[in-house]
Amino acid sequence: MSGRPKPDTATTRRVVAHAAASRLLVLTLTVLWRSLSNPYDTSASINPPCLSLSNQSSHARDPWFPRIGSAIERGIVWDSVYFVRIAQCGYEYEQAFAFLPLFPASLFLLSKSVFAPLVPAIGFRATLALSGYVLNNVAFVLAAVYFYRVSVLILDDSAAALRASVLFCFNPASIFYSSLYSESLYALFTFGGLYYMISGADFVAILMFALSGSVRSNGVLNAGYFCFRAMHRAFRRKQFGFAVKATIIVAVQALCIAAPFGVFQYYGYYNFCRHNSSGKLRPWCKFRIPILYDYIQSHYWGVGFLRYFQLKQLPNFVLASPILSLAVCSIAQYAKLRPGIFFSLGFRALNEEKDIAAVFYSLGTEHRSQHVRLPQETHISEVLEGNHLLRHRKHNKKEEDSDTNHGFKPLDEEVHLTGKHGFYSILVLPFILHMGFMAAVAFFIMHVQVATRFLSASPPIYWFTFYLMTSTDSTSRKWAYLIWVYFAAYVLIGSLLFSNFYPFT
């Protein structure tokens, strides 16, 4: 009996090869553009002493090869300055708490262990930067592998998963995945968490999602996948006691995922509010819920609802328009062809699709049976081919065929038009909802140009692009070609602008 395709070793190696090739391309372009252009801002080399004397001894001596160290340090631009400074000196200033600790902590640990022999040669700051480059590029390759594994399980198509993974390898935010930013670690832990959650390894998934929340604040939103699953679990059983139990379980899971971010916020509160030697409290210390991160984003960077809607910011909206348009189009297309699934949050589905969703979203040890088992114990096809489910499907066929469901297109017609697998599968729905929320936040609240990298770790971007590429409609294929041009252009332009300290995203 054939089952759902699994990630195979040969294809995984191809994903690794594409991911490594993409990182080599980006790094080569970065070095090339730096050698051909002068940076817009030359302040990257400025490195004042740490406020704490205990942190200054690590880089007090002159390096043996200062020119090499200086060349590496020229890559410390934009937010990289904060990450390297935190790794070097700790959290000295209030605004530094906008940058979560796992990435700078990783730089510090690598520079004190694996790369420690390089400190006398190129200096401590350059070693921190080099550690970040190595860490991020390795993490990206691993993230691409996890992305492929998730895509195989969701799309039920190994070829589609491979091509979507190639698209991710050359995504428009590529420069950030090879620079001293936290995107690579975030993608690694997010895709890894998704893979283990779908595979039934909830403990590992929670751990990886928690780590993603230690890298970027939006990693906390990954708890939404567990919430979505809990809703389907409770809906399937239709028992009040089970619903209460599912709610308690998902609340604990969400708290575990959010715990690292919460602990870091308390660390800031302790430093500036509880352990304030100046005697003058910061304004946010008096808030009912004193969250430092929100205050920093609003006070120092002007982040807030509609606060970025200014005429002078129009170029930044233009810069972000391709990725936002791609996200909106993918959501709209999914909603257009699967309205019943989309607008009912997946609760209104054919029996067959409910069975598919059950294996991925609704299973727990308390819900196992001879027909529905954990993912590692069975394949989707086995669930669908069970005699009991076939009889149940026949029994309900007339009811499903006659159900107009308040003006929505009948579900059997939807499935006939789009297929039960691939981009239009019910399994894609939670990814669509997650991306929709992130796109709305990026457009209405954040600095909109950040949307390019903010949404770059959203799988539907690449799944939808692949299905445009393989569409029989010539117009769709033309749009897919334009998306490829957009990806390539942003890889080239991003490498040029970002590496030379020009505004990009």
Side-chain angles (χ1 to χ4, degrees), residues 395-413:
H395 176 74
N396 290 292
K397 186 176 187 302
K398 290 184 179 180
E399 180 180 349
E400 293 167 355
D401 290 341
S402 62
D403 184 14
T404 58
N405 287 285
H406 308 291
F408 285 135
K409 191 178 297 182
L411 280 169
D412 57 342
E413 183 179 347

Side-chain angles (χ1 to χ4, degrees), residues 198-471:
I198 294 171
S199 300
D202 281 2
F203 178 80
V204 180
I206 291 171
L207 176 61
M208 297 200 80
F209 282 157
L211 290 173
S212 75
S214 303
V215 177
R216 295 189 59 83
S217 60
N218 52 298
V220 176
L221 297 177
N222 288 324
Y225 291 107
F226 278 100
C227 295
F228 186 90
R229 189 182 69 175
M231 288 193 303
H232 277 263
R233 180 181 296 175
F235 179 78
R236 188 175 177 85
R237 286 292 285 267
K238 293 183 173 63
Q239 297 176 4
F240 178 76
F242 184 85
V244 172
K245 182 179 179 181
T247 302
I248 294 173
I249 291 174
V250 77
V252 173
Q253 292 169 333
L255 285 173
C256 291
I257 292 171
F261 180 80
V263 170
F264 182 63
Q265 296 309 299
Y266 180 78
Y267 174 67
Y269 175 78
Y270 178 81
N271 280 349
F272 292 101
C273 303
R274 298 290 299 274
H275 192 64
N276 190 341
S277 59
S278 66
K280 185 177 181 181
L281 292 180
R282 299 290 295 150
W284 64 272
C285 292
K286 302 175 183 178
F287 293 170
R288 179 172 297 180
I289 303 178
I291 300 179
L292 176 55
Y293 185 83
D294 290 345
Y295 176 78
I296 292 172
Q297 293 290 340
S298 175
H299 182 73
Y300 291 100
W301 278 278
V303 173
F305 183 65
L306 300 183
R307 291 180 65 178
Y308 216 59
F309 280 61
Q310 306 173 35
L311 185 60
K312 65 179 181 180
Q313 301 298 347
L314 183 59
N316 287 322
F317 278 88
V318 173
L319 190 64
S321 60
I323 195 70
L324 288 172
S325 299
L326 185 54
V328 170
C329 287
S330 62
I331 296 170
Q333 184 70 1
Y334 188 91
K336 176 183 177 182
L337 293 180
R338 305 307 310 273
I341 297 297
F342 180 80
F343 292 105
S344 70
L345 300 182
F347 294 119
R348 179 184 159 270
L350 286 173
N351 288 330
E352 184 170 306
E353 288 201 300
K354 286 180 182 178
D355 297 330
I356 296 174
V359 175
F360 284 88
Y361 300 146
S362 308
L363 285 182
T365 55
E366 71 284 344
H367 190 62
R368 296 168 64 180
S369 71
Q370 61 178 338
H371 302 296
V372 183
R373 291 169 287 172
L374 289 172
Q376 59 263 37
E377 298 175 352
T378 190
H379 292 299
I380 296 296
S381 59
E382 295 175 2
V383 176
L384 299 183
E385 292 173 10
N387 292 331
H388 172 76
L389 293 180
L390 286 172
R391 290 195 300 269
H392 185 67
R393 199 177 307 125
K394 289 178 181 179
H395 176 74
N396 290 292
K397 186 176 187 302
K398 290 184 179 180
E399 180 180 349
E400 293 167 355
D401 290 341
S402 62
D403 184 14
T404 58
N405 287 285
H406 308 291
F408 285 135
K409 191 178 297 182
L411 280 169
D412 57 342
E413 183 179 347
E414 289 184 39
V415 174
H416 174 71
L417 288 173
T418 63
K420 298 178 288 296
H421 307 298
F423 176 72
Y424 301 110
S425 165
I426 187 176
L427 303 179
V428 176
L429 179 61
F431 299 89
I432 289 287
L433 298 176
H434 182 271
M435 183 179 67
F437 180 80
M438 298 240 294
V441 170
F443 184 75
F444 291 107
I445 298 177
M446 298 171 55
H447 291 183
V448 71
Q449 69 270 24
V450 179
T452 301
R453 54 191 174 93
F454 190 61
L455 297 176
S456 63
S458 297
I461 293 288
Y462 311 103
W463 297 339
F464 175 65
T465 300
F466 167 76
Y467 280 96
L468 286 180
M469 293 168 56
T470 57
S471 173

